[in-house]
Amino acid sequence: MLPADNHVHTEWSYDTSHEASMTRSCEQALAIGLPAIAFTEHLEFTAGREGDAIAGVATDARWWSRIKPLDVTGYLAAVQECRERFPELRILSGVEAGEAHLFAASAGAIVRGRAFDRVLGSVHAVPYKGKLVAADALFGSMPDHDVMGYYFAEILRLIEDSDLFEVLAHVDFPRRYWPKGPHLFREEDFEEEYRWVMRALAQTGRVLEINTKTPLASVAMVQWWRAEGGTAVSFGSDAHLPRRVGDRFKLAVDVVEAAGFKAGRDPYDFWRV
Ligand SMILES: [Zn+2]
Ligand SMILES: [Zn+2]
């Protein structure tokens, strides 16, 4: 059996197109035989409030004009509707909290006190020269290798400063935007950085996501996670379209199994060593 897809966006995320659909994502999950789907809508902020660290590191946090607040009430009602409509599918609620270490109060006000099934932590934007900027925008501002280093340092701060999330999403996010050309992205060039963040994540007992939108993790990389003390992985398509739900999961399962992780008795659970 395939694992649960723990990272899916729908019409409730600000960066999806008119093709996005929670209902059709459920249909797709059933069609390809997923036991469960988690809707993890974006939770991002463009301004801090009292208690957020952002003010200390960036005077301008408007890193993307499309960002909109999550309509939590509307979203949770839609999840409930889908649960009634698709009783044969386990449907999990959730959010993907962006930069939760910089917006601890803002994100906490949404997440704490609500029983979300899945809370992902991610970094899409980083403080740079007094502004919060999209991580991929750093390419061109500094050598490509340094962009990844800069990003991993921010991921480390997220892990150390925020306990809001359970699963670390796309650990090497800027890799998606690595400039085309002869110098290819090679995981082994960043082994030390991967291991730093993995060690910190494992020490807090949290879960590493295998993101199948990003270039797929190698067996070696998942083995680093295990070697650094990681005991659980989460599969996430990061789908923003129904047809991408569960995308490349068979391949991801092969990678994760080769690194020594396996499905538990509970098909909805993370995969563990
Ligand atoms: Zn993300
Ligand atoms: Zn996402």
Side-chain angles (χ1 to χ4, degrees), residues 53-61 127-128 130-132:
I54 185 70
V57 293
T59 50
D60 186 349
Y128 180 70
K131 284 183 168 186
L132 200 58

Side-chain angles (χ1 to χ4, degrees), residues 7 9 40 42 96 124 170 238 240:
H7 189 160
H9 299 276
T40 51
H42 284 297
E96 177 182 6
H124 300 116
H170 46 57
D238 210 348
H240 286 63

Side-chain angles (χ1 to χ4, degrees), residues 5 8-13 21-27 36-42 70-96 114-118:
D5 190 339
V8 174
H9 299 276
T10 73
E11 66 271 31
W12 297 94
S13 284
S21 159
M22 189 179 282
T23 307
R24 293 206 358 262
S25 298
C26 291
E27 288 168 355
I37 185 169
F39 295 112
T40 51
E41 311 297 351
H42 284 297
L70 174 62
D71 171 1
V72 183
T73 309
Y75 158 70
L76 288 173
V79 168
Q80 193 49 39
E81 243 171 69
C82 279
R83 284 175 175 157
E84 283 158 24
R85 191 160 161 186
F86 304 100
E88 65 277 45
L89 179 67
R90 173 78 70 99
I91 300 173
L92 305 179
S93 65
V95 290
E96 177 182 6
R114 284 194 177 87
F116 288 115
D117 300 304
R118 291 278 177 263

Side-chain angles (χ1 to χ4, degrees), residues 109-173:
I110 306 282
V111 172
R112 299 197 197 277
R114 284 194 177 87
F116 288 115
D117 300 304
R118 291 278 177 263
V119 178
L120 314 183
S122 64
V123 171
H124 300 116
V126 293
Y128 180 70
K129 293 188 174 172
K131 284 183 168 186
L132 200 58
V133 300
D136 53 291
L138 294 179
F139 287 113
S141 309
M142 59 179 84
D144 299 337
H145 190 280
D146 295 359
V147 172
M148 296 305 300
Y150 197 92
Y151 182 84
F152 282 122
E154 198 61 31
I155 283 283
L156 196 58
R157 281 190 277 274
L158 171 73
I159 295 166
E160 287 174 347
D161 296 353
S162 175
D163 62 358
L164 195 71
F165 65 96
E166 181 182 25
V167 178
L168 178 68
H170 46 57
V171 58
D172 50 12
F173 178 71

